[in-house]
């Protein structure tokens, strides 16, 4: 199988597993095993998989509260991620961060910022460090359409363009900031259209087309490594669930939901690969079975993991220091 065909099948597997992971996290939430709520990216798998498959292992990721699939594609162990989500000691952050503050230094994942809009200064600082170190690495930062209306968005894009920092800005525009439609909060129809104000390229792509996302991020990464600075990419997509598992999702019409469900990124990509002869009924079933078994192992590891010991309450909270 040609290399590009291997990559396509790998991305399909990523999307299948990502969907299963999110569905299982949703189930664990409803079972009362997730403290609080969780923000699911079901329906946004193509944006996350396409973007992260375009990265190199040494590149840095600044995720969002809805990018569990991106975390996994970047290399995070899914069992430990699920353990973190349900607050267990085996989680990457010892069960202290959960989904909304998760980080994984081993995969150069710089962590979710719980404050909407905080992703921008964090990612800008990381990109500035890469330029000063001449590291040959880039930073990819995810954010949503809601965050694009924060002041930090404009400050960060201006500075990263001015200093030509090696960063790729990826907006997963799922059409809603919590329960408010994007067209009710932005004077422009596209986040990507704002790029021209800062002197950087701006792209608006179908966020449900994993190959389109992959290609535009790959080109943006090469541009950043060549010293030409940042790119703003807007991926038009749709979350199949509410803002969080607390959200009853009453602000969207069933007609709108049904229309987007027909453009489910997983089904669209499967159809493409079947047409290209890269998937068959047998291979689709085999992938689903294999990913399902892996997901069962992920859940078992997380659920059977211990709670953090009370005596460890201060561990992983402060950086070790001799200062008293």
């Amino acid at each position: 199988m040609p290399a590009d065909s291997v990559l396509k099948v790998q991305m399909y597997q990523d999307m299948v597993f990502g969907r299963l992971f999110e569905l299982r996290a949703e189930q664990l939430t409803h079972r009362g095993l997730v403290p609080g709520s969780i923000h699911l990216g079901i329906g946004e798998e193509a944006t996350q998989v396409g973007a992260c498959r375009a990265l190199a292992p040494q590149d840095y990721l600044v995720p969002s509260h809805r990018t569990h699939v991106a975390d996994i594609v970047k290399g995070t162990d899914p069992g430990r991620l699920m353990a973190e989500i349900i607050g267990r000691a085996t989680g990457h952050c010892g069960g202290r961060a959960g989904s909304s503050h998760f980080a994984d230094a081993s995969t150069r994942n710089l962590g979710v910022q719980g404050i909407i809009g905080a992703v921008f200064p964090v990612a800008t600082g990381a990109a500035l460090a890469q330029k000063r170190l001449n590291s040959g690495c880039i930073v990819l930062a995810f954010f949503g359409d809601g965050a694009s209306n924060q002041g930090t968005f404009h400050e960060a894009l201006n500075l990263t363009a001015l200093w030509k920092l090696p960063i790729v800005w990826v907006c997963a525009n799922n059409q809603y900031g919590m329960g408010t439609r994007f067209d009710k909060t932005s004077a422009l129809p596209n986040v990507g259209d704002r790029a021209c104000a800062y002197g950087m390229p701006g792209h608006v792509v179908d966020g449900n087309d994993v190959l389109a996302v992959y290609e535009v991020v790959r080109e943006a990464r090469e541009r950043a490594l060549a010293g030409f600075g940042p790119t703003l990419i807007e991926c038009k997509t749709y979350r199949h669930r509410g803002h969080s598992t607390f959200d009853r999702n009453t602000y969207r019409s069933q007609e709108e939901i049904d229309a987007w469900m027909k453009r489910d990124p997983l089904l669209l990509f499967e159809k493409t690969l079947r047409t290209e002869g890269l998937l068959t009924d047998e291979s689709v079933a085999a992938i689903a079975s294999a990913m399902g078994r892996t997901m069962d192992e992920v859940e078992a590891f997380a659920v059977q993991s211990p709670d953090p010991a009370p005596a460890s309450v201060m561990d992983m909270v402060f950086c070790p220091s001799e200062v008293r």
Side-chain angles (χ1 to χ4, degrees):
M1 186 182 292
D4 59 340
S5 298
V6 172
L7 177 60
K8 288 178 181 180
V9 174
Q10 179 61 64
M11 289 195 289
Y12 175 74
Q13 293 175 334
D14 291 338
M15 293 172 68
V16 170
F17 185 75
R19 177 67 59 86
L20 290 174
F21 185 92
E22 295 271 274
L23 290 171
R24 198 67 61 93
E26 182 180 44
Q27 293 170 10
L28 293 176
T29 302
H30 294 323
R31 286 169 52 189
L33 294 177
V34 177
S37 67
I38 185 174
H39 303 85
L40 299 169
I42 298 172
E44 301 181 23
E45 295 89 356
T47 291
Q48 298 181 41
V49 171
C52 287
R53 277 295 168 191
L55 298 179
Q58 68 269 22
D59 292 330
Y60 288 86
L61 173 68
V62 185
S64 83
H65 56 287
R66 207 180 298 281
T67 57
H68 307 111
V69 178
D71 298 332
I72 294 169
V73 174
K74 190 63 172 68
T76 284
D77 179 88
R80 294 187 64 195
L81 174 57
M82 190 67 83
E84 185 63 38
I85 289 172
I86 66 174
R88 300 302 170 90
T90 55
H92 285 277
C93 304
R96 290 156 173 76
S99 171
S100 294
H101 300 277
F102 167 81
D104 179 9
S106 69
T107 60
R108 299 201 164 187
N109 183 321
L110 298 178
V112 182
Q113 308 305 309
I115 300 173
I116 298 299
V119 58
F120 300 114
V122 169
T124 297
L128 177 60
Q130 302 320 302
K131 181 169 184 177
R132 289 188 170 181
L133 292 169
N134 193 27
S135 68
C137 306
I138 72 140
V139 176
L140 185 143
F142 280 107
F143 61 97
D145 48 288
S148 71
N149 290 325
Q150 296 287 318
T152 49
F153 168 87
H154 304 281
E155 295 176 47
L157 266 69
N158 182 56
L159 281 178
T160 54
L162 178 66
W163 295 338
K164 290 184 168 53
L165 300 187
I167 190 165
V168 179
W169 298 108
V170 178
C171 175
N173 186 347
N174 60 27
Q175 315 306 313
Y176 285 90
M178 294 189 73
T180 304
R181 283 183 58 88
F182 176 70
D183 58 11
K184 300 296 184 184
T185 63
S186 175
L188 285 175
N190 302 309
V191 174
D193 292 342
R194 301 178 184 180
C196 63
Y198 307 105
M200 69 174 70
H203 302 278
V204 181
V205 300
D206 181 355
N208 285 4
D209 183 340
V210 65
L211 297 179
V213 175
Y214 170 82
E215 188 59 30
V216 73
V217 173
R218 184 190 64 78
E219 292 176 356
R221 179 180 183 272
E222 291 180 355
R223 182 178 184 276
L225 288 174
F228 295 112
T231 300
L232 173 61
I233 300 169
E234 178 186 7
C235 301
K236 299 282 193 181
T237 184
Y238 196 76
R239 53 173 163 82
H240 292 180
R241 301 295 196 266
H243 172 70
S244 73
T245 47
F246 285 160
D247 182 1
R248 296 178 63 186
N249 199 22
T250 59
Y251 45 84
R252 302 193 292 188
S253 70
Q254 191 60 50
E255 291 77 13
E256 176 184 290
I257 295 173
D258 291 344
W260 276 96
M261 292 295 281
K262 292 178 181 178
R263 300 203 66 254
D264 184 316
L266 191 52
L267 298 180
L268 291 177
F269 195 40
E270 180 182 319
K271 181 178 179 180
T272 296
L273 297 189
R274 283 177 178 273
T275 300
E276 295 180 2
L278 299 178
L279 287 180
T280 63
D281 290 344
E282 291 75 18
S283 59
V284 167
I287 290 170
S289 178
M291 297 298 102
R293 289 193 299 270
T294 301
M295 194 61 242
D296 288 341
E297 295 171 0
V298 165
E299 179 182 348
F301 171 82
V303 172
Q304 294 169 14
S305 293
D307 292 326
S312 70
V313 66
M314 300 304 293
D315 294 350
M316 303 179 72
V317 176
F318 299 102
C319 182
S321 172
E322 296 181 1
V323 176
R324 294 289 185 264

PDB file of all heavy atoms in Angstrom, residues 182-210:
ATOM      1  N   PHE A 182     -22.426  31.527  16.155  1.00  0.00           N
ATOM      2  CA  PHE A 182     -21.296  32.366  15.773  1.00  0.00           C
ATOM      3  C   PHE A 182     -21.735  33.617  15.034  1.00  0.00           C
ATOM      4  O   PHE A 182     -21.189  34.696  15.236  1.00  0.00           O
ATOM      5  CB  PHE A 182     -20.321  31.549  14.907  1.00  0.00           C
ATOM      6  CG  PHE A 182     -19.160  32.348  14.386  1.00  0.00           C
ATOM      7  CD1 PHE A 182     -18.168  32.786  15.236  1.00  0.00           C
ATOM      8  CD2 PHE A 182     -19.071  32.667  13.041  1.00  0.00           C
ATOM      9  CE1 PHE A 182     -17.098  33.534  14.769  1.00  0.00           C
ATOM     10  CE2 PHE A 182     -18.012  33.408  12.550  1.00  0.00           C
ATOM     11  CZ  PHE A 182     -17.017  33.837  13.415  1.00  0.00           C
ATOM     12  N   ASP A 183     -22.760  33.492  14.168  1.00  0.00           N
ATOM     13  CA  ASP A 183     -23.173  34.659  13.380  1.00  0.00           C
ATOM     14  C   ASP A 183     -23.858  35.728  14.232  1.00  0.00           C
ATOM     15  O   ASP A 183     -24.141  36.821  13.733  1.00  0.00           O
ATOM     16  CB  ASP A 183     -24.061  34.249  12.198  1.00  0.00           C
ATOM     17  CG  ASP A 183     -25.316  33.505  12.627  1.00  0.00           C
ATOM     18  OD1 ASP A 183     -25.633  33.480  13.837  1.00  0.00           O
ATOM     19  OD2 ASP A 183     -25.994  32.940  11.744  1.00  0.00           O
ATOM     20  N   LYS A 184     -24.109  35.429  15.494  1.00  0.00           N
ATOM     21  CA  LYS A 184     -24.670  36.424  16.405  1.00  0.00           C
ATOM     22  C   LYS A 184     -23.582  37.165  17.171  1.00  0.00           C
ATOM     23  O   LYS A 184     -23.878  38.114  17.910  1.00  0.00           O
ATOM     24  CB  LYS A 184     -25.614  35.745  17.411  1.00  0.00           C
ATOM     25  CG  LYS A 184     -26.796  35.013  16.776  1.00  0.00           C
ATOM     26  CD  LYS A 184     -27.730  35.949  16.045  1.00  0.00           C
ATOM     27  CE  LYS A 184     -28.946  35.198  15.505  1.00  0.00           C
ATOM     28  NZ  LYS A 184     -29.836  36.084  14.701  1.00  0.00           N
ATOM     29  N   THR A 185     -22.347  36.753  17.015  1.00  0.00           N
ATOM     30  CA  THR A 185     -21.260  37.349  17.797  1.00  0.00           C
ATOM     31  C   THR A 185     -20.129  37.905  16.948  1.00  0.00           C
ATOM     32  O   THR A 185     -19.201  38.510  17.483  1.00  0.00           O
ATOM     33  CB  THR A 185     -20.667  36.302  18.755  1.00  0.00           C
ATOM     34  OG1 THR A 185     -20.092  35.232  17.991  1.00  0.00           O
ATOM     35  CG2 THR A 185     -21.728  35.744  19.692  1.00  0.00           C
ATOM     36  N   SER A 186     -20.161  37.686  15.640  1.00  0.00           N
ATOM     37  CA  SER A 186     -19.069  38.134  14.769  1.00  0.00           C
ATOM     38  C   SER A 186     -19.624  38.925  13.597  1.00  0.00           C
ATOM     39  O   SER A 186     -20.590  38.504  12.946  1.00  0.00           O
ATOM     40  CB  SER A 186     -18.284  36.928  14.246  1.00  0.00           C
ATOM     41  OG  SER A 186     -17.303  37.341  13.306  1.00  0.00           O
ATOM     42  N   ALA A 187     -18.997  40.063  13.315  1.00  0.00           N
ATOM     43  CA  ALA A 187     -19.412  40.878  12.179  1.00  0.00           C
ATOM     44  C   ALA A 187     -18.952  40.274  10.855  1.00  0.00           C
ATOM     45  O   ALA A 187     -19.488  40.624   9.800  1.00  0.00           O
ATOM     46  CB  ALA A 187     -18.849  42.295  12.321  1.00  0.00           C
ATOM     47  N   LEU A 188     -17.966  39.378  10.907  1.00  0.00           N
ATOM     48  CA  LEU A 188     -17.488  38.696   9.712  1.00  0.00           C
ATOM     49  C   LEU A 188     -18.015  37.262   9.704  1.00  0.00           C
ATOM     50  O   LEU A 188     -18.159  36.648  10.764  1.00  0.00           O
ATOM     51  CB  LEU A 188     -15.953  38.666   9.695  1.00  0.00           C
ATOM     52  CG  LEU A 188     -15.234  39.972   9.341  1.00  0.00           C
ATOM     53  CD1 LEU A 188     -13.729  39.782   9.508  1.00  0.00           C
ATOM     54  CD2 LEU A 188     -15.553  40.402   7.921  1.00  0.00           C
ATOM     55  N   PRO A 189     -18.267  36.717   8.547  1.00  0.00           N
ATOM     56  CA  PRO A 189     -18.794  35.341   8.485  1.00  0.00           C
ATOM     57  C   PRO A 189     -17.758  34.276   8.794  1.00  0.00           C
ATOM     58  O   PRO A 189     -18.115  33.157   9.137  1.00  0.00           O
ATOM     59  CB  PRO A 189     -19.299  35.216   7.050  1.00  0.00           C
ATOM     60  CG  PRO A 189     -18.472  36.193   6.280  1.00  0.00           C
ATOM     61  CD  PRO A 189     -18.233  37.344   7.203  1.00  0.00           C
ATOM     62  N   ASN A 190     -16.475  34.614   8.666  1.00  0.00           N
ATOM     63  CA  ASN A 190     -15.413  33.626   8.850  1.00  0.00           C
ATOM     64  C   ASN A 190     -14.325  34.158   9.774  1.00  0.00           C
ATOM     65  O   ASN A 190     -13.866  35.298   9.623  1.00  0.00           O
ATOM     66  CB  ASN A 190     -14.770  33.270   7.511  1.00  0.00           C
ATOM     67  CG  ASN A 190     -15.757  32.727   6.505  1.00  0.00           C
ATOM     68  OD1 ASN A 190     -16.522  31.813   6.793  1.00  0.00           O
ATOM     69  ND2 ASN A 190     -15.762  33.311   5.314  1.00  0.00           N
ATOM     70  N   VAL A 191     -13.896  33.327  10.699  1.00  0.00           N
ATOM     71  CA  VAL A 191     -12.744  33.681  11.529  1.00  0.00           C
ATOM     72  C   VAL A 191     -11.506  33.825  10.659  1.00  0.00           C
ATOM     73  O   VAL A 191     -10.676  34.713  10.864  1.00  0.00           O
ATOM     74  CB  VAL A 191     -12.517  32.612  12.613  1.00  0.00           C
ATOM     75  CG1 VAL A 191     -11.231  32.893  13.403  1.00  0.00           C
ATOM     76  CG2 VAL A 191     -13.707  32.544  13.564  1.00  0.00           C
ATOM     77  N   GLY A 192     -11.372  32.963   9.658  1.00  0.00           N
ATOM     78  CA  GLY A 192     -10.203  33.003   8.792  1.00  0.00           C
ATOM     79  C   GLY A 192     -10.039  34.313   8.038  1.00  0.00           C
ATOM     80  O   GLY A 192      -8.923  34.672   7.655  1.00  0.00           O
ATOM     81  N   ASP A 193     -11.156  35.039   7.850  1.00  0.00           N
ATOM     82  CA  ASP A 193     -11.080  36.315   7.131  1.00  0.00           C
ATOM     83  C   ASP A 193     -10.324  37.379   7.917  1.00  0.00           C
ATOM     84  O   ASP A 193      -9.912  38.404   7.356  1.00  0.00           O
ATOM     85  CB  ASP A 193     -12.489  36.834   6.834  1.00  0.00           C
ATOM     86  CG  ASP A 193     -13.236  35.966   5.832  1.00  0.00           C
ATOM     87  OD1 ASP A 193     -12.574  35.188   5.117  1.00  0.00           O
ATOM     88  OD2 ASP A 193     -14.477  36.064   5.771  1.00  0.00           O
ATOM     89  N   ARG A 194     -10.133  37.153   9.210  1.00  0.00           N
ATOM     90  CA  ARG A 194      -9.458  38.149  10.041  1.00  0.00           C
ATOM     91  C   ARG A 194      -7.948  38.152   9.833  1.00  0.00           C
ATOM     92  O   ARG A 194      -7.262  39.084  10.259  1.00  0.00           O
ATOM     93  CB  ARG A 194      -9.770  37.883  11.516  1.00  0.00           C
ATOM     94  CG  ARG A 194     -11.256  37.914  11.851  1.00  0.00           C
ATOM     95  CD  ARG A 194     -11.495  37.591  13.313  1.00  0.00           C
ATOM     96  NE  ARG A 194     -12.922  37.520  13.628  1.00  0.00           N
ATOM     97  CZ  ARG A 194     -13.407  37.247  14.824  1.00  0.00           C
ATOM     98  NH1 ARG A 194     -12.579  37.022  15.832  1.00  0.00           N
ATOM     99  NH2 ARG A 194     -14.715  37.182  15.036  1.00  0.00           N
ATOM    100  N   ALA A 195      -7.430  37.111   9.198  1.00  0.00           N
ATOM    101  CA  ALA A 195      -5.981  36.975   9.067  1.00  0.00           C
ATOM    102  C   ALA A 195      -5.342  38.145   8.340  1.00  0.00           C
ATOM    103  O   ALA A 195      -4.233  38.563   8.672  1.00  0.00           O
ATOM    104  CB  ALA A 195      -5.651  35.668   8.346  1.00  0.00           C
ATOM    105  N   CYS A 196      -6.046  38.688   7.353  1.00  0.00           N
ATOM    106  CA  CYS A 196      -5.448  39.763   6.543  1.00  0.00           C
ATOM    107  C   CYS A 196      -5.141  40.996   7.373  1.00  0.00           C
ATOM    108  O   CYS A 196      -4.245  41.774   7.037  1.00  0.00           O
ATOM    109  CB  CYS A 196      -6.366  40.119   5.380  1.00  0.00           C
ATOM    110  SG  CYS A 196      -7.981  40.770   5.866  1.00  0.00           S
ATOM    111  N   ALA A 197      -5.855  41.186   8.483  1.00  0.00           N
ATOM    112  CA  ALA A 197      -5.611  42.358   9.336  1.00  0.00           C
ATOM    113  C   ALA A 197      -4.261  42.269  10.027  1.00  0.00           C
ATOM    114  O   ALA A 197      -3.745  43.291  10.497  1.00  0.00           O
ATOM    115  CB  ALA A 197      -6.723  42.480  10.374  1.00  0.00           C
ATOM    116  N   TYR A 198      -3.691  41.072  10.087  1.00  0.00           N
ATOM    117  CA  TYR A 198      -2.419  40.887  10.782  1.00  0.00           C
ATOM    118  C   TYR A 198      -1.289  40.509   9.837  1.00  0.00           C
ATOM    119  O   TYR A 198      -0.182  40.205  10.280  1.00  0.00           O
ATOM    120  CB  TYR A 198      -2.586  39.812  11.865  1.00  0.00           C
ATOM    121  CG  TYR A 198      -3.750  40.112  12.774  1.00  0.00           C
ATOM    122  CD1 TYR A 198      -4.941  39.405  12.670  1.00  0.00           C
ATOM    123  CD2 TYR A 198      -3.687  41.153  13.702  1.00  0.00           C
ATOM    124  CE1 TYR A 198      -6.022  39.707  13.470  1.00  0.00           C
ATOM    125  CE2 TYR A 198      -4.772  41.457  14.515  1.00  0.00           C
ATOM    126  CZ  TYR A 198      -5.940  40.736  14.387  1.00  0.00           C
ATOM    127  OH  TYR A 198      -7.018  41.035  15.172  1.00  0.00           O
ATOM    128  N   GLY A 199      -1.578  40.486   8.548  1.00  0.00           N
ATOM    129  CA  GLY A 199      -0.532  40.198   7.584  1.00  0.00           C
ATOM    130  C   GLY A 199      -0.098  38.750   7.561  1.00  0.00           C
ATOM    131  O   GLY A 199       1.078  38.446   7.323  1.00  0.00           O
ATOM    132  N   MET A 200      -1.044  37.850   7.782  1.00  0.00           N
ATOM    133  CA  MET A 200      -0.721  36.424   7.698  1.00  0.00           C
ATOM    134  C   MET A 200      -1.740  35.740   6.798  1.00  0.00           C
ATOM    135  O   MET A 200      -2.846  36.264   6.610  1.00  0.00           O
ATOM    136  CB  MET A 200      -0.739  35.778   9.088  1.00  0.00           C
ATOM    137  CG  MET A 200      -2.122  35.662   9.723  1.00  0.00           C
ATOM    138  SD  MET A 200      -2.124  34.742  11.298  1.00  0.00           S
ATOM    139  CE  MET A 200      -1.274  35.898  12.363  1.00  0.00           C
ATOM    140  N   PRO A 201      -1.410  34.579   6.242  1.00  0.00           N
ATOM    141  CA  PRO A 201      -2.391  33.854   5.434  1.00  0.00           C
ATOM    142  C   PRO A 201      -3.559  33.379   6.297  1.00  0.00           C
ATOM    143  O   PRO A 201      -3.387  33.007   7.454  1.00  0.00           O
ATOM    144  CB  PRO A 201      -1.594  32.654   4.896  1.00  0.00           C
ATOM    145  CG  PRO A 201      -0.158  33.017   5.073  1.00  0.00           C
ATOM    146  CD  PRO A 201      -0.100  33.909   6.261  1.00  0.00           C
ATOM    147  N   GLY A 202      -4.736  33.391   5.707  1.00  0.00           N
ATOM    148  CA  GLY A 202      -5.915  32.871   6.374  1.00  0.00           C
ATOM    149  C   GLY A 202      -6.626  31.885   5.471  1.00  0.00           C
ATOM    150  O   GLY A 202      -6.787  32.130   4.272  1.00  0.00           O
ATOM    151  N   HIS A 203      -7.023  30.758   6.029  1.00  0.00           N
ATOM    152  CA  HIS A 203      -7.694  29.720   5.257  1.00  0.00           C
ATOM    153  C   HIS A 203      -8.985  29.316   5.950  1.00  0.00           C
ATOM    154  O   HIS A 203      -9.024  29.193   7.173  1.00  0.00           O
ATOM    155  CB  HIS A 203      -6.802  28.486   5.102  1.00  0.00           C
ATOM    156  CG  HIS A 203      -5.482  28.761   4.456  1.00  0.00           C
ATOM    157  ND1 HIS A 203      -5.325  28.848   3.091  1.00  0.00           N
ATOM    158  CD2 HIS A 203      -4.252  28.988   4.991  1.00  0.00           C
ATOM    159  CE1 HIS A 203      -4.062  29.094   2.805  1.00  0.00           C
ATOM    160  NE2 HIS A 203      -3.382  29.187   3.947  1.00  0.00           N
ATOM    161  N   VAL A 204     -10.013  29.090   5.160  1.00  0.00           N
ATOM    162  CA  VAL A 204     -11.272  28.550   5.656  1.00  0.00           C
ATOM    163  C   VAL A 204     -11.480  27.222   4.953  1.00  0.00           C
ATOM    164  O   VAL A 204     -11.589  27.171   3.725  1.00  0.00           O
ATOM    165  CB  VAL A 204     -12.454  29.500   5.374  1.00  0.00           C
ATOM    166  CG1 VAL A 204     -13.760  28.913   5.919  1.00  0.00           C
ATOM    167  CG2 VAL A 204     -12.197  30.876   5.989  1.00  0.00           C
ATOM    168  N   VAL A 205     -11.500  26.134   5.730  1.00  0.00           N
ATOM    169  CA  VAL A 205     -11.600  24.800   5.142  1.00  0.00           C
ATOM    170  C   VAL A 205     -12.773  24.035   5.743  1.00  0.00           C
ATOM    171  O   VAL A 205     -13.282  24.388   6.807  1.00  0.00           O
ATOM    172  CB  VAL A 205     -10.296  23.988   5.331  1.00  0.00           C
ATOM    173  CG1 VAL A 205      -9.135  24.685   4.668  1.00  0.00           C
ATOM    174  CG2 VAL A 205     -10.009  23.758   6.806  1.00  0.00           C
ATOM    175  N   ASP A 206     -13.168  22.999   5.052  1.00  0.00           N
ATOM    176  CA  ASP A 206     -14.198  22.102   5.545  1.00  0.00           C
ATOM    177  C   ASP A 206     -13.604  21.276   6.678  1.00  0.00           C
ATOM    178  O   ASP A 206     -12.794  20.371   6.438  1.00  0.00           O
ATOM    179  CB  ASP A 206     -14.692  21.195   4.413  1.00  0.00           C
ATOM    180  CG  ASP A 206     -15.798  20.239   4.844  1.00  0.00           C
ATOM    181  OD1 ASP A 206     -16.134  20.204   6.047  1.00  0.00           O
ATOM    182  OD2 ASP A 206     -16.313  19.510   3.970  1.00  0.00           O
ATOM    183  N   GLY A 207     -13.985  21.575   7.899  1.00  0.00           N
ATOM    184  CA  GLY A 207     -13.435  20.872   9.045  1.00  0.00           C
ATOM    185  C   GLY A 207     -13.906  19.446   9.176  1.00  0.00           C
ATOM    186  O   GLY A 207     -13.409  18.706  10.034  1.00  0.00           O
ATOM    187  N   ASN A 208     -14.843  19.024   8.348  1.00  0.00           N
ATOM    188  CA  ASN A 208     -15.286  17.633   8.337  1.00  0.00           C
ATOM    189  C   ASN A 208     -14.585  16.811   7.253  1.00  0.00           C
ATOM    190  O   ASN A 208     -14.908  15.643   7.059  1.00  0.00           O
ATOM    191  CB  ASN A 208     -16.805  17.557   8.150  1.00  0.00           C
ATOM    192  CG  ASN A 208     -17.550  17.940   9.408  1.00  0.00           C
ATOM    193  OD1 ASN A 208     -16.947  18.334  10.399  1.00  0.00           O
ATOM    194  ND2 ASN A 208     -18.860  17.831   9.386  1.00  0.00           N
ATOM    195  N   ASP A 209     -13.642  17.425   6.566  1.00  0.00           N
ATOM    196  CA  ASP A 209     -12.841  16.758   5.535  1.00  0.00           C
ATOM    197  C   ASP A 209     -11.424  16.615   6.071  1.00  0.00           C
ATOM    198  O   ASP A 209     -10.635  17.558   6.055  1.00  0.00           O
ATOM    199  CB  ASP A 209     -12.861  17.585   4.251  1.00  0.00           C
ATOM    200  CG  ASP A 209     -12.102  16.926   3.098  1.00  0.00           C
ATOM    201  OD1 ASP A 209     -11.253  16.052   3.356  1.00  0.00           O
ATOM    202  OD2 ASP A 209     -12.348  17.304   1.936  1.00  0.00           O
ATOM    203  N   VAL A 210     -11.083  15.443   6.570  1.00  0.00           N
ATOM    204  CA  VAL A 210      -9.807  15.249   7.243  1.00  0.00           C
ATOM    205  C   VAL A 210      -8.626  15.496   6.313  1.00  0.00           C
ATOM    206  O   VAL A 210      -7.587  16.025   6.742  1.00  0.00           O
ATOM    207  CB  VAL A 210      -9.734  13.831   7.860  1.00  0.00           C
ATOM    208  CG1 VAL A 210      -9.741  12.760   6.798  1.00  0.00           C
ATOM    209  CG2 VAL A 210      -8.527  13.693   8.778  1.00  0.00           C
TER     210      VAL A 210
END
